Amino acid sequence: EDIKRAAVLHDLGKVGIDKSILSKEGPLDLKEREVIKTHPAIAAEILREINGLKGSIPAILYHHERYDGAGYPLGIKGEEIPLSARIVSVADVYQALTSDRSYRKAYPKAKALEIIKSESGKQFDPKVVKVFLQVVKKIDAK
C-alpha cells in the first residue's frame, strides 16, 4: 500500500515548482535542474504530517536516486536506496517514457522497455528491472 501511494504521489512536490520550469519545451538549464531536484523534498515535507502516508515518504523522497549513486537528493546507491524507491523509480521512468512530454513525443512501449533494460545496474536496480519486465510480459500475455 505504501508503494502504491508513493507511485501516485511521488511528484506531488512539483506543486512547489514554477510552471515555467515544468512546461519548458527545451532542455532545462543548470539552475532550473537544481530547482526541479527539490520536488521530492517538497513532497516529503507536505506529507510528513499525514499519518497514513508516512510509510510512503521514503519512496517519494528517494525515487530519483540511482542504483550507481549518481542520483539525488543524497547520491546514495544500490541497497542503500529503499526498495520502495527503487520500484517507484522504474515505474516512474516507464510512465514518463511512454507519455507525451512538452519536450518530446512518447516512446513506443518496446523502446521504453529497451531503455529501461539498458539502464539496469546503472540507473535501476537489476533485480527490480527483472521483475518489472516479467510483470509487463505477463500483462501483455493477457
Side-chain angles (χ1 to χ4, degrees):
E1 286 302 310
D2 288 336
I3 294 170
K4 207 184 318 186
R5 288 184 192 106
V8 171
L9 297 170
H10 70 278
D11 280 341
L12 173 67
K14 288 183 179 178
V15 299
I17 306 296
D18 191 277
K19 285 185 182 182
S20 66
I21 294 173
L22 294 175
S23 61
K24 186 174 180 180
E25 291 189 22
L28 300 177
D29 64 31
L30 184 60
K31 185 177 177 184
E32 291 165 333
R33 283 196 305 271
E34 290 305 312
V35 171
I36 284 287
K37 287 181 178 182
T38 65
H39 83 272
I42 293 169
E45 189 59 35
I46 291 169
L47 299 174
R48 201 169 306 282
E49 298 303 317
I50 304 172
N51 287 331
L53 296 175
K54 285 185 180 184
S56 300
I57 290 175
I60 292 167
L61 188 56
Y62 302 117
H63 75 278
H64 282 292
E65 295 290 357
R66 289 175 50 108
Y67 197 73
D68 62 9
Y72 64 88
L74 301 178
I76 56 178
K77 65 182 179 178
E79 304 285 321
E80 297 170 342
I81 304 165
L83 177 59
S84 59
R86 289 180 269 147
I87 292 168
V88 169
S89 176
V90 173
D92 178 39
V93 169
Y94 179 73
Q95 190 277 329
L97 290 170
T98 57
S99 301
D100 286 334
R101 299 297 172 145
S102 61
Y103 50 89
R104 65 153 176 80
K105 295 295 256 173
Y107 287 104
K109 183 178 180 177
K111 177 67 175 170
L113 294 173
E114 183 182 307
I115 292 168
I116 288 172
K117 282 184 215 174
S118 74
E119 287 297 315
S120 179
K122 296 177 256 181
Q123 183 172 357
F124 307 119
D125 178 338
K127 291 179 265 179
V128 172
V129 170
K130 181 180 178 183
V131 172
F132 177 79
L133 295 172
Q134 289 171 347
V135 169
V136 169
K137 187 175 181 179
K138 201 177 232 183
I139 291 169
D140 286 348
K142 288 184 178 180

